[in-house]
């Protein structure tokens, strides 16, 4: 692994950081959260036009930039620093790779060019609250999470030449505003039980979308109800949908790890700036040894998480699957950095007016949505057979 970045990769980081600094400051961020979409549509258009962010990892034949997951992860690190609310994660990290992996030639040609220009946003809808399981992050995505032939989940049935869906999905990222829904549904009953992915326009008849009040307001979520909705099968019947979801999950975990590292880095940076200015007993509190030790511990944890996140992004192209472990380490680093930010900012760190609480809520929200951390690690250990049939030294 080459630990350095190319000039093009550094340019992506620099350009994105400059754009977000100008267009996604604290005031712009709060204003975007209050819009019906939950994000600044003009900023999303700018990210698409100037950087090709939605199609960063989409092949050039579909109008994308043709970069690797590493570039996608570096971009996420910058959006994480700013806590930029956008359809980036749902569209570019979850939906686009699944369309590319499973879609027919006609589906890829129809959808991916519109995604790369930013004209079409998309998201993945998993039944209930099973997003982390569907992506094989915290458990086996064998398909039971999609309904398993029982009540609940999302059920799919054939209707002539097409399909119809009935059920409900919670925690759908940007589900209230996405133009296209990729819905995971169960079909086939008990004997031929299987999970498939379906394409559903966001404004289709029978789709009821409700924006939810989430702990992390910068990560919009929605409840999507499907009431006998007409749908199109993504790809061919018999495709390895569960395998594609697991691969997408590993990629998403690596990208999310870098995003968490960016957020933790900014939280630590803001805290260091503050303790240099705030005075107590006639001197900056940053000069106190106890404060130095606490921030040094955060810095060490952050750097370890950054190394793990970069390696996870690089490993996706080398048949290694370490994304969930990197995500666990990054979420812990973010939780620590955000908690110290709140504490060391003193009374103002607990107020709504200060953005320290937004970083803490991002850490807690991601832990609930994609974790928790101990389950990420436990599932990775189970997959590696770490504690099976081996003696433990005492």
């Amino acid at each position: 692994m080459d630990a350095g970045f190319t000039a093009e990769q550094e340019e992506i980081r620099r350009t994105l950081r400059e754009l977000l600094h100008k267009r996604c400051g604290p005031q712009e961020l709060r204003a975007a959260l209050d819009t019906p979409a939950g994000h600044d549509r003009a900023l999303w258009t700018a990210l698409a036009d100037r950087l090709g962010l939605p199609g960063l990892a989409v092949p050039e034949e579909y109008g994308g930039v043709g970069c690797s997951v590493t570039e996608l992860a570096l971009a996420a690190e910058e959006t994480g620093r700013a806590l930029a609310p956008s359809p980036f994660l749902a569209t570019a990290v979850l939906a686009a790779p699944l369309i590319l992996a499973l879609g027919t030639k006609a589906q890829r040609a129809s959808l991916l060019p519109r995604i790369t220009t930013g004209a079409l946003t998309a998201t993945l809808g998993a039944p209930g609250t099973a997003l982390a399981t569907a992506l094989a992050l915290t458990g086996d995505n064998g398909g039971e999470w999609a309904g398993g032939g029982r009540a609940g989940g999302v059920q799919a049935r054939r209707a002539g030449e097409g399909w119809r869906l009935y059920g409900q999905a919670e925690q759908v990222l940007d589900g209230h505003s996405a133009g296209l829904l990729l819905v995971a549904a169960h079909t086939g009953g008990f004997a031929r039980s299987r999970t498939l992915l379906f394409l559903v326009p966001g404004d289709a008849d029978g789709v009821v979308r409700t924006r939810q009040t989430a702990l992390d307001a910068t990560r919009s979520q929605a409840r999507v109800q499907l009431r006998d909705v007409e749908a199109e099968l993504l790809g061919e019947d018999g495709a390895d949908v569960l395998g594609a979801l697991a691969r997408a999950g590993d990629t998403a975990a690596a990208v999310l790890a870098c995003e968490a590292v960016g957020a933790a880095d900014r939280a630590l940076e803001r805290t260091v700036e503050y303790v240099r200015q705030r005075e107590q007993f006639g001197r900056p509190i940053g000069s106190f040894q106890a404060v130095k030790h606490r921030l040094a511990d955060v810095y060490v944890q952050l750097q370890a998480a950054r190394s793990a996140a970069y390696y996870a992004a690089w490993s996706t192209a080398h048949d290694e699957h370490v994304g969930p472990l990197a995500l666990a380490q990054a979420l812990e680093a973010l939780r620590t950095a955000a908690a110290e930010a709140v504490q060391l900012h003193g009374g103002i760190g607990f107020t709504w007016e200060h953005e320290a609480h937004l970083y803490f809520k991002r850490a807690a929200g991601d832990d609930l949505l994609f974790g928790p951390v101990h389950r990420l690690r436990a599932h990775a250990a189970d997959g590696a057979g770490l504690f099976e049939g081996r003696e433990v030294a005492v």
Side-chain angles (χ1 to χ4, degrees):
M1 174 185 176
D2 184 357
F5 294 115
T6 66
E8 291 78 8
Q9 291 169 337
E10 292 290 359
E11 182 66 15
I12 290 173
R13 301 177 69 172
R14 183 191 64 79
T15 305
L16 185 53
R17 183 174 298 191
E18 290 179 355
L19 180 59
L20 292 176
H21 179 72
K22 294 177 182 177
R23 301 284 297 272
C24 195
Q27 292 182 346
E28 292 83 0
L29 170 61
R30 293 176 185 274
L33 297 181
D34 291 334
T35 63
H39 65 267
D40 185 351
R41 293 183 185 274
L43 175 59
W44 178 244
T45 300
L47 292 172
D49 292 342
R50 291 187 55 180
L51 293 173
L53 194 63
L56 200 59
V58 175
E60 294 181 11
E61 63 180 297
Y62 299 112
V65 182
C67 293
S68 67
V69 174
T70 299
E71 284 78 10
L72 204 63
L74 292 177
E77 185 176 356
E78 297 306 318
T79 61
R81 281 181 60 87
L83 294 183
S86 77
F88 172 67
L89 176 62
T91 299
V93 182
L94 294 179
L98 288 170
I99 294 172
L100 186 62
L102 297 173
T104 63
K105 186 176 180 179
Q107 288 171 336
R108 293 196 298 266
S110 172
L111 299 174
L112 291 177
R114 288 191 288 153
I115 286 176
T116 59
T117 62
L120 177 66
T121 57
T123 189
L124 172 66
T129 57
L131 180 60
T133 304
L135 295 173
L137 297 179
T138 58
D140 179 22
N141 70 339
E144 292 81 3
W145 50 269
R150 297 176 293 274
V154 178
Q155 305 297 323
R157 63 178 178 82
R158 281 196 177 276
E161 297 297 322
W163 294 81
R164 302 195 76 88
L165 306 182
Y166 193 94
Q168 180 170 297
E170 306 277 354
Q171 298 179 326
V172 181
L173 298 175
D174 297 301
H176 63 293
S177 61
L180 178 68
L181 305 173
L182 273 67
V183 181
H186 173 270
T187 186
F190 289 102
R192 300 181 58 190
S193 175
R194 63 194 190 280
T195 300
L196 300 175
L197 281 176
F198 296 89
L199 302 172
V200 178
D203 58 356
D205 291 338
V207 175
V208 179
R209 307 191 287 178
T210 307
R211 184 178 178 183
Q212 301 291 87
T213 300
L215 173 63
D216 176 16
T218 66
R219 182 97 71 199
S220 295
Q221 299 177 34
R223 175 191 297 120
V224 177
Q225 295 174 307
L226 304 153
R227 301 173 177 175
D228 199 28
V229 175
E230 185 177 355
E232 177 186 353
L233 179 65
L234 177 63
E236 304 291 342
D237 196 349
D240 184 16
V241 172
L242 299 179
L245 284 168
R247 290 188 292 273
D250 189 65
T251 297
V255 173
L256 283 164
C258 282
E259 185 187 70
V261 164
D265 188 50
R266 182 55 179 160
L268 176 60
E269 185 180 277
R270 288 294 304 273
T271 306
V272 171
E273 291 173 356
Y274 183 76
V275 299
R276 285 174 174 172
Q277 298 171 3
R278 180 188 173 194
E279 292 189 358
Q280 189 69 281
F281 306 112
R283 55 190 285 196
I285 64 172
S287 64
F288 299 147
Q289 190 176 48
V291 174
K292 290 180 179 179
H293 285 177
R294 289 171 69 170
L295 292 178
D297 288 343
V298 174
Y299 178 79
V300 171
Q301 191 174 4
L302 171 60
Q303 294 306 317
R306 175 176 276 120
S307 296
Y310 288 169
Y311 181 79
W314 173 85
S315 70
T316 57
H318 297 82
D319 201 28
E320 293 186 50
H321 306 289
V322 296
L325 284 176
L327 177 58
Q329 191 163 357
L331 289 179
E332 271 194 337
L334 175 55
R335 188 70 174 256
T336 302
E340 293 292 2
V342 171
Q343 290 290 328
L344 294 177
H345 273 83
I348 195 173
F350 289 85
T351 65
W352 177 256
E353 287 75 14
H354 199 277
E355 58 264 30
H357 73 95
L358 294 176
Y359 288 89
F360 189 84
K361 288 179 178 178
R362 169 60 65 88
D366 278 4
D367 189 69
L368 291 171
L369 190 59
F370 302 106
V373 166
H374 70 272
R375 289 188 61 189
L376 287 166
R377 287 179 171 148
H379 182 58
D382 290 342
L386 194 60
F387 302 113
E388 294 179 2
R390 298 185 181 182
E391 296 182 359
V392 179
V394 179

